[in-house]
Amino acid sequence: MVEQFAQDFIKQLPLGYACHKLIRNAGGNAMDSIFLDANSAFEEITGLKVESLIGKKVSELFPNIQADRFDLPAFYKEITLSDVTKKITRYSKTSHRWFNISTFFPQKEYFVTIIQDITEERTALNDLAAQKNELENAHEDVEFIFNSTQDAMFLAEYKHGEIYYIKINKSHQKLSRFRDSDVKGKTPV
């Protein structure tokens, strides 16, 4: 009952799941792995049919993995030396997508990968960083213009029926002999 529940859960998991068996070279170092099982989300993420994965080497199915600067032997070495879940984030140049990959060993010589496509999240973060940069640049431009004019200027906000200073420019400070900090948050009257 529990085993069937676990299998059903894995098959329905919205994250890509694959089970692998390590392949070691003559020196005993892990160099590749063979797919033993995968779920439909793994198929969706990789674009490879589960039936075509089973029994195949990772290096056969992803021949361009080195082009993505993903050192497969180093990855296998790293995960085999650790007893804890290993988590990495990788960008695939071939698929133009970002992935979170977690690996763990349920038993010796076998490991599981859980893959999540995080391209949308990474794109959104990059867009937010670009917008932040644009806002900072715009703020610097406005600040320069605000303080470069010979006219006395101030910024204020209207709140609770009153006008409160936010900021005064350098010309205003020179004419009024008030510093920006003297008037900030106060009313003009």
Side-chain angles (χ1 to χ4, degrees):
M1 168 75 179
V2 173
E3 188 174 314
Q4 184 61 45
F5 172 78
Q7 288 176 356
D8 291 345
F9 174 78
I10 287 169
K11 296 298 178 191
Q12 299 302 317
L13 194 65
L15 305 171
Y17 153 86
C19 183
H20 308 257
K21 182 177 188 316
L22 286 173
I23 298 174
R24 296 186 181 274
N25 64 13
N29 297 318
M31 299 303 291
D32 207 340
S33 67
I34 295 175
F35 280 96
L36 300 177
D37 191 21
N39 67 358
S40 58
F42 191 90
E43 181 177 299
E44 215 174 282
I45 290 170
T46 63
L48 298 170
K49 297 280 184 205
V50 172
E51 304 83 47
S52 68
L53 295 172
I54 308 305
K56 300 269 176 53
K57 294 180 184 178
V58 168
S59 59
E60 288 174 32
L61 295 166
F62 301 100
N64 296 326
I65 203 162
Q66 298 296 352
D68 285 338
R69 294 187 182 159
F70 190 76
D71 185 351
L72 206 52
F75 172 73
Y76 289 129
K77 181 178 181 181
E78 191 174 339
I79 64 172
T80 56
L81 294 176
S82 175
D83 289 338
V84 297
T85 299
K86 177 73 179 161
K87 297 177 184 178
I88 59 172
T89 299
R90 288 287 185 266
Y91 178 74
S92 169
K93 287 182 181 180
T94 53
S95 66
H96 306 289
R97 290 161 51 187
W98 281 94
F99 299 101
N100 273 344
I101 304 169
S102 298
T103 59
F104 63 93
F105 281 83
Q107 68 184 63
K108 191 174 174 62
E109 300 301 309
Y110 296 87
F111 70 97
V112 170
T113 55
I114 302 294
I115 299 177
Q116 180 182 16
D117 185 341
I118 58 165
T119 305
E120 287 182 23
E121 291 87 348
R122 287 297 289 239
T123 301
L125 284 174
N126 290 341
D127 290 348
L128 284 173
Q131 288 174 358
K132 180 181 181 241
N133 193 30
E134 287 175 20
L135 286 172
E136 287 171 352
N137 290 339
H139 174 70
E140 289 171 9
D141 292 346
V142 169
E143 189 73 26
F144 176 76
I145 293 166
F146 183 69
N147 284 309
S148 295
T149 182
Q150 297 300 316
D151 297 324
M153 296 176 68
F154 66 90
L155 294 176
E157 69 176 328
Y158 183 75
K159 175 168 72 171
H160 308 296
E162 296 282 339
I163 295 174
Y164 296 92
Y165 282 112
I166 295 172
K167 181 180 205 120
I168 58 176
N169 72 352
K170 290 179 182 175
S171 293
H172 194 293
Q173 291 176 46
K174 187 176 179 182
L175 290 170
S176 68
R177 298 185 198 266
F178 287 114
R179 293 177 307 209
D180 194 35
S181 59
D182 294 334
V183 298
K184 186 173 185 174
K186 297 185 177 143
T187 61
V189 181

